[in-house]
Amino acid sequence: MPRSVNAVASRARRKKVLKATKGYFGRGKNVWTVAKNKYEKGLQYAYRDRKAKKREFRALWIQRINAGARQFGISYSQFMGMLKKADIELNRKVLADLAMNHPEAFKAVVEKVK
Protein backbone atom coordinates (compact mmCIF):
# COMPACT_ATOMS: atom_id res chain seq x y z
CA MET A 1 0.00 0.00 0.00
CA PRO A 2 1.44 3.43 -0.88
CA ARG A 3 2.46 5.84 1.82
CA SER A 4 -0.06 8.59 2.54
CA VAL A 5 1.59 11.96 3.09
CA ASN A 6 -1.31 14.43 2.78
CA ALA A 7 0.52 16.74 0.40
CA VAL A 8 -2.37 19.19 0.38
CA ALA A 9 -2.00 19.96 4.09
CA SER A 10 1.82 20.08 3.85
CA ARG A 11 1.70 22.52 0.94
CA ALA A 12 -0.87 24.68 2.72
CA ARG A 13 1.27 24.79 5.85
CA ARG A 14 4.35 25.80 3.84
CA LYS A 15 2.42 28.43 1.91
CA LYS A 16 1.18 29.92 5.17
CA VAL A 17 4.72 30.24 6.52
CA LEU A 18 6.14 31.60 3.25
CA LYS A 19 3.35 34.17 3.09
CA ALA A 20 4.19 35.27 6.66
CA THR A 21 7.90 35.61 5.82
CA LYS A 22 7.25 37.79 2.79
CA GLY A 23 9.61 40.76 2.95
CA TYR A 24 12.31 39.00 4.96
CA PHE A 25 15.94 39.46 3.86
CA GLY A 26 17.76 37.00 1.62
CA ARG A 27 16.73 33.36 1.60
CA GLY A 28 14.52 33.92 4.64
CA LYS A 29 11.63 34.72 2.33
CA ASN A 30 11.67 31.85 -0.16
CA VAL A 31 13.72 28.86 1.05
CA TRP A 32 11.48 26.65 3.16
CA THR A 33 13.96 25.58 5.87
CA VAL A 34 15.39 29.09 6.34
CA ALA A 35 11.94 30.69 6.22
CA LYS A 36 10.53 28.22 8.76
CA ASN A 37 13.35 28.97 11.23
CA LYS A 38 13.01 32.72 10.78
CA TYR A 39 9.24 32.49 11.17
CA GLU A 40 9.51 30.55 14.43
CA LYS A 41 12.17 32.91 15.76
CA GLY A 42 9.95 35.85 14.83
CA LEU A 43 7.11 34.37 16.87
CA GLN A 44 9.48 34.02 19.84
CA TYR A 45 10.51 37.66 19.52
CA ALA A 46 6.87 38.73 19.25
CA TYR A 47 5.95 36.84 22.43
CA ARG A 48 8.95 38.23 24.34
CA ASP A 49 8.50 41.78 23.13
CA ARG A 50 4.81 41.98 24.02
CA LYS A 51 6.05 41.85 27.61
CA ALA A 52 9.06 44.12 27.02
CA LYS A 53 6.82 46.74 25.41
CA LYS A 54 4.96 47.22 28.68
CA ARG A 55 8.23 47.76 30.56
CA GLU A 56 9.53 50.19 27.95
CA PHE A 57 6.38 52.29 28.00
CA ARG A 58 6.34 52.45 31.79
CA ALA A 59 9.97 53.65 31.76
CA LEU A 60 9.09 56.29 29.15
CA TRP A 61 6.14 57.53 31.21
CA ILE A 62 8.32 57.79 34.31
CA GLN A 63 10.92 59.85 32.41
CA ARG A 64 8.24 62.22 31.14
CA ILE A 65 6.64 62.65 34.56
CA ASN A 66 10.08 63.25 36.10
CA ALA A 67 10.90 65.91 33.50
CA GLY A 68 7.55 67.59 34.10
CA ALA A 69 7.84 67.47 37.88
CA ARG A 70 11.37 68.85 37.93
CA GLN A 71 10.13 72.00 36.19
CA PHE A 72 8.30 72.69 39.44
CA GLY A 73 11.26 71.85 41.67
CA ILE A 74 10.34 68.34 42.79
CA SER A 75 11.68 64.93 41.81
CA TYR A 76 9.64 62.07 40.40
CA SER A 77 9.71 60.07 43.64
CA GLN A 78 8.66 63.07 45.74
CA PHE A 79 5.85 63.83 43.28
CA MET A 80 4.54 60.25 43.30
CA GLY A 81 4.70 60.19 47.11
CA MET A 82 2.72 63.42 47.31
CA LEU A 83 0.15 62.02 44.88
CA LYS A 84 -0.39 59.01 47.14
CA LYS A 85 -0.75 61.23 50.22
CA ALA A 86 -3.21 63.53 48.44
CA ASP A 87 -5.15 60.40 47.41
CA ILE A 88 -5.05 61.32 43.71
CA GLU A 89 -5.34 58.18 41.62
CA LEU A 90 -3.94 59.09 38.22
CA ASN A 91 -1.87 56.41 36.54
CA ARG A 92 1.54 57.05 34.99
CA LYS A 93 0.21 56.92 31.44
CA VAL A 94 -2.24 59.76 32.09
CA LEU A 95 0.30 61.78 34.10
CA ALA A 96 2.88 61.46 31.31
CA ASP A 97 0.32 62.61 28.75
CA LEU A 98 -0.56 65.62 30.92
CA ALA A 99 3.11 66.48 31.45
CA MET A 100 3.86 66.33 27.75
CA ASN A 101 0.74 67.58 25.98
CA HIS A 102 -1.16 69.58 28.62
CA PRO A 103 1.39 71.39 30.81
CA GLU A 104 -1.24 73.67 32.38
CA ALA A 105 -3.25 70.64 33.58
CA PHE A 106 -0.06 69.00 34.89
CA LYS A 107 0.79 72.22 36.72
CA ALA A 108 -2.66 72.13 38.35
CA VAL A 109 -2.00 68.57 39.55
CA VAL A 110 1.41 69.61 40.95
CA GLU A 111 -0.10 72.61 42.73
CA LYS A 112 -2.85 70.40 44.18
CA VAL A 113 -0.36 67.97 45.72
CA LYS A 114 2.11 70.55 47.04
Side-chain angles (χ1 to χ4, degrees), residues 7-110:
V8 174
S10 303
R11 173 58 50 198
R13 190 165 50 248
R14 288 190 193 121
K15 274 176 68 175
K16 183 184 85 171
V17 169
L18 288 172
K19 185 179 178 191
T21 59
K22 190 174 169 184
Y24 281 19
F25 181 80
R27 290 183 295 172
K29 65 177 160 277
N30 53 14
V31 175
W32 163 244
T33 51
V34 180
K36 179 172 63 90
N37 291 335
K38 284 194 168 223
Y39 173 75
E40 288 172 357
K41 191 68 166 181
L43 292 178
Q44 288 176 349
Y45 286 141
Y47 178 81
R48 178 196 71 187
D49 291 341
R50 279 195 295 275
K51 275 91 183 133
K53 183 174 156 186
K54 294 166 182 61
R55 294 191 292 268
E56 289 166 11
F57 267 104
R58 185 181 170 97
L60 177 67
W61 296 332
I62 288 171
Q63 289 169 7
R64 288 178 175 175
I65 295 166
N66 191 24
R70 285 185 187 275
Q71 290 176 335
F72 302 104
I74 54 174
S75 70
Y76 168 79
S77 60
Q78 291 169 330
F79 177 63
M80 294 309 281
M82 286 191 254
L83 274 176
K84 289 276 187 238
K85 274 188 197 159
D87 205 33
I88 297 174
E89 293 186 14
L90 289 174
N91 63 20
R92 286 166 181 81
K93 182 178 178 180
V94 170
L95 285 169
D97 183 55
L98 289 177
M100 189 153 179
N101 300 321
H102 309 284
E104 63 285 338
F106 188 74
K107 182 178 181 179
V109 173
V110 171

